Amino acid sequence: MIGTHDGNLLDSSVKDLMISSERVAHVQVANNLEHALLVLTKSGYTAIPVLDPMYKLHGLISTPVILESILGLERIEFDNLANKKVSEIMIQNIPRLHIDDSLKKGLELLIDHPFICIENDEGVFEGILTRRALLKNVYSEELQS
Ligand code: 4BW
């Protein structure tokens, strides 16, 4: 938990509550949808970041978006999973945090999104800020006050 007794939790950096990149399930832009669905299913998460080989952040991929992309008129066309790339259907317009941003900015973005990707000056993916991490700290602080 980060110290908040002086009431400055939201002035802390997003760095303090970040799940670092090596612990975040992700896929590569060039992966096919079959691989992406496998990673999503195995990790248990509904949406995960999409990175390139240099670890730059390109967007998000989610199970609903994948299923929507292989929805035929009368059936789900699972055969198409292997033919389509993550880059074709990923969500590119996503909110982002800079590694030096405050938790206040993170809180504002987490109202509408379950997690926010964090990047550095070069656009390299550093990790994510989740609703759970922030709520856990707010709750813990509340219990101690
Ligand atoms: O596999 C799971 N392990 C744990 N510990 N919790 C899980 C798992 N799957 C779901 N949860 C819980 C978390 O509380 O359900 C919430 C919603 O999951 P989501 O969105 O819809 O898959 C989780 O809330 P959260 O920890 O605040 O995480 C919010 C979102 O952030 C998740 C997921 O899209 C993403 N995420 C979190 N940790 C991640 C991750 N993506 C990739 N790798 C991680 N390590």
Side-chain angles (χ1 to χ4, degrees), residues 14-26:
V14 292
K15 251 190 297 235
D16 297 327
L17 293 186
M18 180 175 79
I19 298 176
S20 62
S21 56
E22 61 270 20
R23 292 175 47 218
V24 177
H26 69 274

Side-chain angles (χ1 to χ4, degrees), residues 95-97 106 109-110 113-118 125 127-130:
R96 294 157 187 250
L97 285 164
L109 293 171
L110 285 172
H113 305 273
F115 74 104
I116 309 293
C117 292
I118 301 171
F125 178 67
I128 58 174
L129 178 68
T130 64

Side-chain angles (χ1 to χ4, degrees), residues 27-34 36 50 58-62 65-66 68-70 80-92:
V27 289
Q28 294 276 323
V29 268
N31 287 151
N32 65 25
L33 298 190
E34 188 173 26
V50 178
H58 285 250
L60 297 181
I61 190 87
S62 70
V65 164
I66 292 177
E68 169 76 32
S69 78
I70 56 164
N80 284 339
L81 283 175
N83 307 327
K84 292 192 182 186
K85 296 253 182 282
V86 166
S87 56
E88 294 173 47
I89 65 157
M90 67 187 178
I91 303 154
Q92 289 173 277

